[in-house]
Amino acid sequence: MNLNGAVKVYDDANTLAAATAADFMTAARRAIAERGAFYVALSGGSTPQKLYERLAADYVGAPEWSRIHLYFGDERAVPPEHEQSNFRMAKTALFDHVAIPAAHISRLPADSPDIQAAARSYCEQLVRVPQREGKPCFDWVLLGMGDDGHTASLFPGTSAVAERDAWVVPVYVERLKSWRLSVTFPVINNAHDVVLLVCGAGKATMLRKILREPLSGEPLPVQRVAPTHGALQWRLDRAAAAML
Ligand code: 6PG
């Protein structure tokens, strides 16, 4: 397989979410025991939503929440109460249910009228994440994959994909005619663990291209996920893995 990282295939999206929720808490306990806290960059998307719901359902009273710090890997340029907001999704699925201190949740302010300034202000928040080699080093970066090969809000053909210095950048998504903010590969690839969640038959063709076909030309954004010190875990359901 043409692949960075390990692949696990689960029967369906619910099984994947339950197993990933259990692994999230195991990783949290380990990080808290070793370093006193667990730092995570959350993703938007339907698969992470199931994970957040499982975390809220299965670990609602876990003492670890007081030591968990949640950031966002990307956000759409909408207010926090908007139906397309990743913050709103995570809040409804998770934050509203568990005892995580409000100060431990860092929303990406992509709805700011000055999106460049918003990107810079999120970089200032990322300074609070433990650093490695002068860059934020999350314990977990959660990602999804779009059927066009995007991950976070790093879309094919955008300059954000090749960003080497800035930690957070504005991205104009032509296909959606809208702006987003996204963390960049210098941050993603500096994590201890990158966990890529991909579910559904609609992702099968792209997964095949990425994992089975030889790389030709420019890599797709998701093909640039390659942690320099950490590990990449692909977690798929059977429908997404059907053509591998
Ligand atoms: C977003 C994302 C994005 C997402 C993929 C997969 O805000 O849209 O962070 O990268 O993870 O598009 O989304 P699904 O899991 O919904 O297919």
Side-chain angles (χ1 to χ4, degrees):
M1 220 177 255
N2 171 19
L3 176 74
N4 279 321
V7 185
K8 283 189 188 162
V9 180
Y10 299 88
D11 282 343
D12 54 39
N14 290 329
T15 317
L16 182 154
T20 306
D23 292 343
F24 178 105
M25 290 312 293
T26 302
R29 281 183 204 115
R30 191 178 311 125
I32 291 165
E34 288 172 7
R35 298 183 289 279
F38 184 55
Y39 285 82
V40 180
L42 301 177
S43 169
S46 52
T47 313
Q49 180 172 357
K50 281 193 167 27
L51 166 64
Y52 307 153
E53 288 165 355
R54 282 313 289 245
L55 281 167
D58 297 351
Y59 302 96
V60 62
E64 286 77 14
W65 289 114
S66 66
R67 304 286 195 96
I68 292 176
H69 297 253
L70 301 176
Y71 291 75
F72 282 82
D74 73 321
E75 182 60 281
R76 297 97 186 263
V78 294
E81 61 283 353
H82 193 278
E83 58 171 16
Q84 282 179 26
S85 160
N86 286 343
F87 176 85
R88 177 179 181 270
M89 182 275 277
K91 178 176 182 298
T92 311
L94 179 62
F95 311 157
D96 283 349
H97 309 283
V98 298
I100 184 163
H104 289 195
I105 298 169
S106 299
R107 184 178 85 85
L108 247 174
D111 55 326
S112 162
D114 183 344
I115 200 159
Q116 295 284 355
R120 286 194 298 275
S121 85
Y122 208 62
C123 292
E124 284 159 24
Q125 296 197 45
L126 290 179
V127 171
R128 301 202 305 258
V129 176
Q131 308 281 301
R132 170 165 53 198
E133 296 178 353
K135 291 176 284 191
C137 176
F138 282 102
D139 292 300
W140 268 35
V141 170
L142 276 167
L143 295 175
M145 183 195 82
D147 54 12
D148 60 354
H150 81 262
T151 193
S153 281
L154 302 169
F155 283 79
T158 62
S159 59
V161 170
E163 178 61 47
R164 286 161 168 254
D165 299 316
W167 297 346
V168 182
V169 291
V171 183
Y172 184 71
V173 189
E174 186 59 47
R175 183 160 67 91
L176 305 171
K177 303 268 180 267
S178 60
W179 285 92
R180 295 186 175 195
L181 280 180
S182 185
V183 299
T184 57
F185 286 118
V187 174
I188 292 170
N189 286 333
N190 203 37
H192 286 288
D193 280 286
V194 179
V195 182
L196 243 159
L197 307 178
V198 186
C199 285
K203 305 291 172 69
T205 306
M206 181 49 77
L207 270 179
R208 181 180 171 79
K209 178 178 165 64
I210 285 167
L211 303 182
R212 286 286 197 204
E213 293 173 14
L215 192 59
S216 65
E218 268 297 287
L220 286 162
V222 72
Q223 290 174 306
R224 295 181 185 247
V225 180
T228 48
H229 298 80
L232 168 59
Q233 310 171 30
W234 287 84
R235 294 173 177 235
L236 320 175
D237 72 350
R238 274 195 199 293
M243 293 170 73
L244 298 182

